[in-house]
Amino acid sequence: MTAKALAMRALRVVLILLALGFCGWSLASQWDDTVHAFEQLSWYTLLGAFALGYAGLVAWMLAWRTFLSGLGSELPVPAAYRIAFVSGLGKYVPGMVWVLVSQVEMAREYHVPRARSFSATVLAIATSTASGLAVAAVTLPLTSPQARDRYWWLFLLAPVLLACLHPKIVAWGLNLALGIVRRPPLEHAVSVPATLRAVLWTVAGWLLFGGHLWVLSAAAGGSGAGLPFLATGAYSLAFVAGLLVFLAPGGLGAREAVMVLVLAPVLAPGVPIVVALASRMLLTAADLAGAGSALLLGRRARKEQRAQKDDSARKDHDTRKDPPAGNEPAPADLSPSAEALGPQAPGPQAPRSQPTGTRPTKEQA
């Protein structure tokens, strides 16, 4: 292993430890309130909300993989799962740059050029932001006057950001960013069909996250036909607000504040913070579960690779030891021996041939 590979592995270990440390700090700082929130919710409510949140993370992973495929690097789903979930822990370290750096370096293990992985990650973040604001703009103005009055300026950004997802605009922006960091431009832009598939996966993630918050809100006493729309818009707006406060690990504080503001009209006093804290804990658990399973998948893949290398080396050794068919030395005599044929019947004998160049004697004549 080269020195650079060792340095990258050490950096990844440090990043994971930092992410786990900040993640633990965010949970510990709200532990008493979170335990109180969990005591008010049933276990099947928590399990269902956890499953929906985990499914939302998987949908976003597939959106990132779609962008990467559109740029020319097709990754198997297990490889994309490992990269997305392990690098996703970087969002718990202050500053969004850690997610970007870790995804780029981990994708290099699968021979993905840095420019492609960088572009796919930037595209995924931009798409989640634009589509999240669009989802909030569609759902909240009709269900939450408080959110409409306070965050109307964010809703105006939604159509502008969605228009900026056009492949030509995206290619221009990414090539400009790559030129600033002195990297070669993209070979080609992401096609319109690939962009649409990635946007659909991202919107599916928003709907799953909205379902996650809806399950918690309904169990906490929320009701009404508009509650699913309100919960989906609340989570979308809260997540985008957390992205804007990029210095806070995982948008800590900003996300919960927006959720409380949007959910306050439909829940009893004191209940929205219970829902927000339960959501934070469950999604953190989903991140940790995804990263843990991704690390196990990576270890299993490395064991299989080592086994394949050992098997190939063993076959090569056996091939060198035993010469291939067709190169065996010819047998000395392929005709049956006299002992094997037994006594022969008397009969005319063929004349013996004389050595060439020798004169016969009188007896032979």
Side-chain angles (χ1 to χ4, degrees), residues 40-131:
Q40 301 181 50
L41 300 170
S42 62
W43 66 267
Y44 52 83
T45 297
L46 298 175
L47 183 60
F50 171 85
L52 288 169
Y54 180 82
L57 295 174
V58 172
W60 279 7
M61 176 273 296
L62 293 174
W64 173 76
R65 176 177 177 268
T66 303
F67 276 126
L68 195 61
S69 175
L71 290 169
S73 293
E74 183 80 29
L75 277 182
V77 173
Y81 180 92
R82 174 175 174 261
I83 294 172
F85 275 92
V86 174
S87 64
L89 291 179
K91 66 188 175 186
Y92 292 100
V93 180
M96 287 294 295
V97 67
W98 301 111
V99 176
L100 181 61
V101 170
S102 56
Q103 277 194 345
V104 169
E105 293 304 325
M106 289 186 69
R108 285 291 296 163
E109 297 180 6
Y110 297 91
H111 310 290
V112 178
R114 286 187 174 90
R116 289 183 187 173
S117 53
F118 168 83
S119 302
T121 303
V122 171
L123 276 172
I125 295 173
T127 303
S128 61
T129 303
S131 59

Side-chain angles (χ1 to χ4, degrees), residues 47-313:
L47 183 60
F50 171 85
L52 288 169
Y54 180 82
L57 295 174
V58 172
W60 279 7
M61 176 273 296
L62 293 174
W64 173 76
R65 176 177 177 268
T66 303
F67 276 126
L68 195 61
S69 175
L71 290 169
S73 293
E74 183 80 29
L75 277 182
V77 173
Y81 180 92
R82 174 175 174 261
I83 294 172
F85 275 92
V86 174
S87 64
L89 291 179
K91 66 188 175 186
Y92 292 100
V93 180
M96 287 294 295
V97 67
W98 301 111
V99 176
L100 181 61
V101 170
S102 56
Q103 277 194 345
V104 169
E105 293 304 325
M106 289 186 69
R108 285 291 296 163
E109 297 180 6
Y110 297 91
H111 310 290
V112 178
R114 286 187 174 90
R116 289 183 187 173
S117 53
F118 168 83
S119 302
T121 303
V122 171
L123 276 172
I125 295 173
T127 303
S128 61
T129 303
S131 59
L133 286 176
V135 169
V138 170
T139 56
L140 289 184
L142 300 178
T143 56
S144 177
Q146 289 82 358
R148 182 183 63 227
D149 295 339
R150 179 168 293 189
Y151 298 105
W152 60 269
W153 56 276
L154 278 177
F155 299 151
L156 295 179
L157 289 176
V160 178
L161 293 176
L162 287 175
C164 290
L165 293 179
H166 190 279
K168 291 185 177 180
I169 300 177
V170 166
W172 174 82
L174 289 175
N175 287 332
L176 180 63
L178 291 171
I180 293 174
V181 297
R182 298 181 180 180
R183 292 288 180 181
L186 297 174
E187 297 92 341
H188 57 82
V190 181
S191 65
V192 174
T195 301
L196 290 177
R197 287 195 300 270
V199 170
L200 288 176
W201 277 120
T202 307
V203 173
W206 285 125
L207 296 178
L208 289 166
F209 288 128
H212 150 89
L213 195 60
W214 171 53
V215 168
L216 294 175
S217 300
S223 60
L227 185 60
F229 301 98
L230 182 68
T232 302
Y235 187 87
S236 303
L237 184 61
F239 190 90
V240 173
L243 286 178
L244 296 178
V245 188
F246 57 89
L247 292 179
L252 183 64
R255 187 190 301 179
E256 287 76 15
V258 175
M259 283 187 186
V260 170
L261 173 72
V262 177
L263 296 176
V266 296
L267 296 177
V271 175
I273 188 60
V274 171
V275 172
L277 291 175
S279 174
R280 164 71 64 177
M281 177 68 79
L282 291 173
L283 291 178
T284 302
D287 281 325
L288 293 175
S293 59
L295 290 173
L296 291 177
L297 283 175
R299 182 175 298 178
R300 180 179 178 182
R302 286 192 293 270
K303 286 183 179 179
E304 291 177 353
Q305 288 176 356
R306 284 196 294 266
Q308 289 176 357
K309 288 181 180 179
D310 294 342
D311 188 52
S312 299

